[in-house]
């Protein structure tokens, strides 16, 4: 017996992640300015979305080239967003002294600053294998889509 996914139970983790982001956005309105921890977590989320879009673009492109190109463009734009969040992370002050007193020997992945940088370097390496430098630095405008119903 095979079970087909219905709309109500398809992709539950994506729905949960989206709900979590909506909840955080509502809570953030009351919380004040962003700190390094929040920028790091947002960068991790963007990087995970980047990996998902990369896989979707690769699997969609052969049967549906135009849709695959749009997904590849979205992947590039998402990398640009994660690049900006990475830059913002380094411009934010250390979170209540935790970065200054970080003890790398007690962390399996190194200090938080290295974790976000390692993740960003890996993501940058992946995007550069599939994207030209011109595309990576292209402005967001100029890419239009028409809705077909």
């Amino acid at each position: 017996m095979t079970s087909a996914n219905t709309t109500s139970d398809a992709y539950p983790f994506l729905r949960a992640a989206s709900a979590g982001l909506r909840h955080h956005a509502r809570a953030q309105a009351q919380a004040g300015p962003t700190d390094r921890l929040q920028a790091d977590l947002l960068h991790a989320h963007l990087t995970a979305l980047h990996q998902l879009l990369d896989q979707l673009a690769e699997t969609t492109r052969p049967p549906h080239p135009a849709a695959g190109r749009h997904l590849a463009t979205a992947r590039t734009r998402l990398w640009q967003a994660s690049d900006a969040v990475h830059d913002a992370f380094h411009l934010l002050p250390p979170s209540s002294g935790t970065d200054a007193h970080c003890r790398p020997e007690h962390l399996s992945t190194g200090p938080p600053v290295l974790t976000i940088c390692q993740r960003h370097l890996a993501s940058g390496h992946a995007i550069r294998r599939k994207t030209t430098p011109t595309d990576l630095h292209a402005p967001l405008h100029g890419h239009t889509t028409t809705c077909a119903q």
Side-chain angles (χ1 to χ4, degrees), residues 116-148:
I116 189 173
C117 292
Q118 289 170 344
R119 184 185 325 114
H120 192 65
L121 286 172
S123 176
H125 177 72
I127 192 77
R128 283 180 179 90
R129 288 182 311 180
K130 299 176 181 182
T131 310
T132 67
T134 302
D135 289 340
L136 285 179
H137 300 292
L140 293 176
H141 60 58
H143 181 76
T144 59
T145 299
T146 57
C147 290

Side-chain angles (χ1 to χ4, degrees), residues 46 49-54 56-57 61 66-82 127 131 140 143 145:
L46 290 171
L49 281 173
H50 177 262
Q51 290 171 343
L52 176 60
L53 272 173
D54 187 37
L56 291 173
R61 189 172 283 181
R69 283 192 302 275
H70 280 283
L71 289 171
T73 299
R75 172 195 63 207
T76 302
R77 299 304 181 241
L78 197 55
W79 186 86
Q80 290 174 331
S82 71
I127 192 77
T131 310
L140 293 176
H143 181 76
T145 299

Side-chain angles (χ1 to χ4, degrees), residues 2 9 13 19 22 24 37 46 52 57 62 64 69 78 83 88 91 100-101 107 117-118 121 126 133-134 139 142 144:
T2 61
D9 68 356
F13 296 116
R22 283 191 303 271
H24 182 76
L37 177 60
L46 290 171
L52 176 60
H64 308 287
R69 283 192 302 275
L78 197 55
D83 187 45
L91 294 174
H101 299 96
L107 298 171
C117 292
Q118 289 170 344
L121 286 172
T134 302
T144 59

Side-chain angles (χ1 to χ4, degrees), residues 15 18 78 80 96 104:
R15 276 198 319 280
S18 296
L78 197 55
Q80 290 174 331
S96 65

